[in-house]
Amino acid sequence: MSNLSLYNQAFPSRLLLGTAAYPIAEILRRSIETARPAMITVSLRRQSTAGETHGQGFWNLLQDLNIPILPNTAGCQSVQEAVTTAQMAREVFETDWIKLELIGDDDTLQPDVFQLVEAARILIGDGFKVLPYCTEDLIACRRLLDAGCQALMPWAAPIGTGLGVVHEYALKVLRERLPDTPLIIDAGLGLPSQAAQVMEWGFDAVLLNTAVSRSGHPVDMARAFAAATEAGRLAFEAEPVQPRTQAQASTPTVGQPFWHSAEY
């Protein structure tokens, strides 16, 4: 399986994992060690499900895992808020990578693609490697590429729903029309089979959080998603047979010992 390439940097895995909402820190650690993702996402604002603020112990855990960190701007609703959060994250995590989230609707957590383009342009001008969380809208994605983004993160479904791919046609069109752009499916996947499916379509990676952290057994689910993501990519690179409506024998008909007449 080929490596994932983002902003001219190679990653051995095509799975990215979030770090929010795990029951305890030990399960988070074991899940990440099991999946060995390309990157792990973190937020300056995040708190644990127990209500305890993640302090030095959490940061020590992330450093011990030795996995590249992808800070995000989760919860931001304006360009200035997103830009300021990204700049703060760069200081805290000492990285120019940023997952740019700019939410336009509180119920669906749908990205505000208009403000997203503006924020992306500012951050790229400031030297960030921007991975924007966006919809599957082709025109909005083109505007993000025009702003300087070298990779995109379209959603499969609203964050945390586990619905899988809601708009299959739009995602397939996006993949077809942007063949040279790394596309990472971010948000909405609930099952490993859904991750395998989008990878078979030619998407470059998947990013997960809720599907793993809120499952009954996060460590096992992390392992399952890692295997499914790899299997899907291997299947894509193996060039699957094209579906057809008519049956086609897999064994040769030449040299059959018996001849079956069409007349009865």
Side-chain angles (χ1 to χ4, degrees), residues 4 6 9-10 19 30 38 43 55 67 96 111-112 120 146 148 172 201 205 210 216 224 228-230 247 255:
L4 171 66
L6 301 172
Q9 183 171 335
T19 56
R30 290 172 54 202
S43 172
I67 302 290
D96 290 329
D112 183 334
D146 291 341
K172 285 184 174 180
W201 294 345
T210 304
T229 300
E230 181 176 355

Side-chain angles (χ1 to χ4, degrees), residues 18-254:
T19 56
Y22 283 81
I24 58 175
E26 176 62 15
I27 291 179
L28 166 62
R29 181 187 65 79
R30 290 172 54 202
S31 297
I32 293 174
E33 288 179 340
T34 296
R36 301 305 299 176
M39 306 178 85
I40 51 176
T41 64
V42 295
S43 172
L44 291 175
R45 306 178 179 193
R46 188 168 62 75
Q47 291 185 329
S48 69
T49 53
E52 299 174 353
T53 301
H54 287 289
Q56 191 61 44
F58 176 69
W59 310 132
N60 290 340
L61 169 62
L62 297 184
Q63 291 176 338
D64 290 343
L65 289 168
N66 197 30
I67 302 290
I69 291 177
L70 176 63
N72 65 45
T73 61
C76 293
Q77 295 184 324
S78 71
V79 171
Q80 186 57 54
E81 191 179 9
V83 169
T84 300
T85 300
Q87 292 169 340
M88 292 172 60
R90 178 161 60 184
E91 295 299 320
V92 171
F93 300 109
E94 300 180 343
T95 179
D96 290 329
W97 290 88
I98 192 73
K99 176 188 171 185
L100 178 59
E101 294 185 34
L102 217 164
I103 302 303
D105 181 78
D106 290 334
D107 290 333
T108 64
L109 300 180
Q110 181 167 331
D112 183 334
V113 295
F114 300 100
Q115 293 196 92
L116 192 64
V117 172
E118 182 181 352
R121 184 176 290 111
I122 293 171
L123 291 173
I124 289 170
D126 195 23
F128 281 90
K129 298 179 179 70
V130 178
L131 298 177
Y133 165 59
C134 56
T135 67
E136 69 284 288
D137 184 275
L138 174 61
I139 307 306
C141 287
R142 282 176 170 167
R143 297 295 177 266
L144 287 166
L145 296 178
D146 291 341
C149 295
Q150 295 183 24
L152 305 173
M153 304 182 80
W155 68 353
I159 293 173
T161 61
L163 291 172
V165 175
V166 173
H167 298 130
E168 177 179 338
Y169 171 78
L171 277 179
K172 285 184 174 180
V173 167
L174 187 66
R175 178 69 287 176
E176 178 184 349
R177 299 302 298 276
L178 302 177
D180 300 322
T181 300
L183 298 177
I184 302 170
I185 295 296
D186 177 16
L189 298 181
L191 294 170
S193 58
Q194 296 164 356
Q197 180 184 58
V198 297
M199 295 301 292
E200 288 170 3
W201 294 345
F203 284 87
D204 297 273
V206 296
L207 191 155
L208 310 159
N209 192 158
T210 304
V212 173
S213 66
R214 295 191 181 277
S215 66
H217 301 279
V219 178
D220 290 339
M221 190 62 77
R223 180 181 294 109
F225 267 106
T229 300
E230 181 176 355
R233 181 64 188 187
L234 284 172
F236 171 75
E237 293 182 356
E239 301 180 5
V241 298
Q242 293 300 312
R244 41 185 293 138
T245 58
Q246 185 176 358
Q248 182 179 31
S250 58
T251 54
T253 57
V254 177

